Amino acid sequence: MDIKDIQNLIKFVSKAEVSEVKYKTKDFEITIKTPLAGSEVNYAQPAVYHTAPQQTAAPAPAPVAPTSTEKAEPASDDSKYVTIKSPMIGTFYRKPSPDKDVFVNVGDEVSNGKIVCVIEAMKLFNQIESEISGKIVKILVDDATPVEYDQPLFLVDPS
């Protein structure tokens, strides 16, 4: 089960208004807990607990699949780009609010200190600023998806 499958499962569970779901296979186990259905909590982020795979051979195919779908050329070109990474765990948003425009698009110029996204952590929206000047060449995360600490968010061409 890759990260996209887990994210889709989390979205499904939160929309289904159930309090807990456990999913277990031979190599993987995940438990998703949400606030009780019908409670007054809005936009609750479900807690995700998972155990490490029991076999060490199972994780190896997972990284291979995403790289096979990408072209080999851009992977070698990515070395000249600088990555803007997530400084925290939370939910990534490209817009300050649902009715506003996105902070940045591919091709936009950013400067040091320009806000590129927000990350919601524990009901607080943290503005993430660019640490470099350059041009956004790739957005690596979908809007309204969970991100981990130090996860790449954007690729920037500093030239």
Side-chain angles (χ1 to χ4, degrees):
M1 183 173 242
D2 65 356
I3 191 73
K4 288 288 184 190
D5 292 335
I6 293 171
Q7 291 170 346
N8 288 335
L9 183 61
I10 291 170
K11 288 177 186 177
F12 177 77
V13 169
S14 61
K15 288 179 183 174
E17 296 183 359
V18 294
S19 60
E20 182 175 358
V21 171
K22 290 183 182 181
Y23 178 77
K24 187 174 184 179
T25 64
K26 186 175 122 182
D27 303 326
F28 185 79
E29 180 179 344
I30 186 169
T31 301
I32 302 172
K33 294 182 180 182
T34 61
L36 293 176
S39 68
E40 293 297 316
V41 179
N42 291 328
Y43 302 106
Q45 190 66 26
V48 178
Y49 306 96
H50 58 85
T51 58
Q54 296 172 356
Q55 296 178 357
T56 56
V64 173
T67 55
S68 65
T69 60
E70 295 176 8
K71 297 177 183 173
E73 278 183 27
S76 62
D77 292 339
D78 287 353
S79 62
K80 67 180 179 182
Y81 301 136
V82 178
T83 305
I84 298 176
K85 296 181 179 182
S86 175
M88 65 187 67
I89 295 172
T91 304
F92 171 87
Y93 294 102
R94 293 187 60 203
K95 303 176 186 180
S97 66
D99 58 334
K100 303 284 185 186
D101 290 333
V102 294
F103 288 110
V104 292
N105 283 310
V106 173
D108 288 354
E109 292 289 330
V110 292
S111 58
N112 193 352
K114 178 176 169 57
I115 298 170
V116 293
C117 67
V118 292
I119 296 180
E120 177 192 9
M122 297 179 66
K123 303 294 179 201
L124 296 175
F125 289 86
N126 303 281
Q127 296 179 339
I128 308 304
E129 299 176 351
S130 173
E131 299 168 354
I132 52 149
S133 295
K135 180 178 173 182
I136 300 284
V137 292
K138 192 170 188 181
I139 300 170
L140 304 170
V141 181
D142 293 330
D143 194 31
T145 57
V147 292
E148 296 292 326
Y149 171 75
D150 216 27
Q151 178 178 344
L153 304 174
F154 300 93
L155 286 181
V156 179
D157 185 359
S159 55

